[in-house]
Amino acid sequence: MAMHRVALHGRHLLASSRLLRRHMSMEPQAAVTRLKESGLLKTQGLVGGKWIDSYDGKTIEVTNPATGDVLANVACMSGQETSDAISSAYNSFSSWSKLTASERSKFLRNWYDLIISHKEDLALLITLEQGKPLKEALGEVTYGANFIEFFAEEAKRIYGDIIPSTLADRRLLVLKQPVGVVGAITPWNFPLAMITRKVGPALASGCTVVVKPSEYTPLTALAAADLALQAGIPPGALNVVMGNASGIGDTLLQSSQVRKITFTGSTAVGKKLMAGSANTVKKLSLELGGNAPCIVFDDADIDVAVKGSLAAKFRNSGQTCVCANRILVQEGIYEKFANAFAKAVQNMQVGNGLAEGISQGPLINEAALTKVEKFINDATSKGANIILGGKRHSLGMTFYEPTVLGNVNNKMLIAREEVFGPVAPLLPFKTEEDAIHIANDTNAGLAAYIFTTSIPRSWRVSEALEYGLVGVNEGLISTEVAPFGGVKQSGLGREGSKYGIDEFLELKYVCMGNMKEA
Ligand code: ADP
C-alpha cells in the first residue's frame, strides 16, 4: 500500500487528507503524552538489544489517521540496519536455541505478564496510530498477549518421535529443531497481534527474529519489543527494523542466514516474498488477502445472523483479512435480513477511537478510502443499490459512512476483491448449491461464515467451502488455540494453536545403527 500517511526524509508524500488536518488537529504528539509509562514511546529500531537510529539519520512520520496529528518521527531504516539485525539474530541463535524449553517459556511468560500489565498503554498506541476504537484495541492487546502465553506453554510440548524400526539393530528417531533466523513482516491492521502470533511461536521453538512492522504502525511494535527486553529476552533474540519496506524485505530475502519468512499482508507482496525466497529456498508462512463469504440461509436465526455478520463485517472498520467481504443472503430471508442488518449498521457510532461509544474508526489512509469509493461506484454502475451510507463521513479525514449495498452479484469488483472498508454488500441467492458455488468462485480462501439452524446443512456447507476457517453461527472466530490460515491464494501455513509452532521447526531423522544385542 502506498505511503499516504507517512513522510519520508521529511518530505510529505501524497497526503491529500492533510488538507483537513488543520481544523481537526490537536497539538502534535499531545495524545502520546497520555502514556502511563512514557518510556514505551520508542522511535528507534532495536538491533542486538540496542536502540539505534537509522544509519543515515532518516526518519518517518507516524500520524494518527483520526486527526492527522504527527505522533512521532521514527527511524527510517533499510538494508544496512537489516543486515546488522540479521547478524545479531544469527549470533544469538546458538545460545537462545540451546536454552531448555522451560527457560524460554519463562521469558515468554514474563513478556506476556508485562504486555498485560501495560495493556492500557499498548491499546492507546494502537488506537492512536491505527485508528481502531480503544475498546477494540484493548481486545487486540489481550488477543495478542494470548499468543505469547499459549506458545510459552507450547514450548514445552515440542515432542519428537521414535519410529518402529525396520531392522532389529536400528533405532529411528525424529527430532524437532528450530529453523533458525526468522524474518517476520507484519501489517498495520493488528499492530500488536500480528507480531505476537509470529514472534511467540518463533521464540518458543528456539528461533531468533527480525521483525519489520508496518511503516504505519511501528510504535506499538517498538513498545512491545521494549517490554520483551524488560522481560529479559536476551539481546539479539528479537530485533525490530522499520522504514523502507523493499530495502528491508530484499535484505531479508537475500540473506542465507534468514531461514524463514513469515508474512501477513497483501497477496501481491506475499507473492513477491514467495518468489524472492526461491533463491535461498526459505521456509515460508503467508497470511494473505481473503474474500470472505458470509452465507445467511433462510433457516438462520435472524438475530444471530445479524449480530454475527455485523461483527464479521465491521470489526476494525472492515479492515481485517477475515472480514466478511460478501454477505450472501437466501431469497426467502433477504428483505427481512437487509432491513434488520441496515438498522443495526445505522446504530454504529463513527469517530475518533479515543471517544466513548465509538465502534467505527477512520480508515488507515486516503488510498483505502479511494478504493472503497471505486468499488462502490463500480457496484452501483452495475445495478447494486445503496441501502445505507455510500459516501465519505462528514467528519472528514479518512472516515467513511458504514455502508450497506443491496443486489450485489459476483461479477462486481466488490465481490471479486477485498474492499477492506466498512461496506457490506448483500448478494441474493436461491439454493444451497448456488451459495457454495458463489462462495468458492474466487482465488481467495481464508475465512467463511455460515448462518443456519440446520446441523446437517452446517456440516455439508462447512465441508464444501474452500476456506481455511469457517464460522458457523459465529462472526468472530479467531483465537490463539485454533489454527488460522488460508487455502488457495490466501496463503501457506497456519498460525496459532499446536499446529502454528510446526511452522518454525524442522524435522530431523536420526538413525542409530549397529545396536547389537549384548
Ligand atoms: P497492506 O496493503 O495491508 O498495507 P502490504 O502487503 O502492502 O499490505 O504490507 C504488509 C507489510 O508488508 C508491511 O509491513 C509492508 O511494509 C510490507 N511490505 C510492503 N512491500 C514490501 C516488500 N516489497 N518487501 C517486504 N515487505 C514489504
Side-chain angles (χ1 to χ4, degrees), residues 1 185-188 212-215 245-246 249 263-266 269 272-273:
M1 189 171 283
I185 301 175
T186 59
W188 47 263
K212 193 211 87 62
S214 167
E215 47 278 10
S246 58
F263 170 75
T264 299
S266 62
V269 172
K272 270 193 210 166
L273 297 175

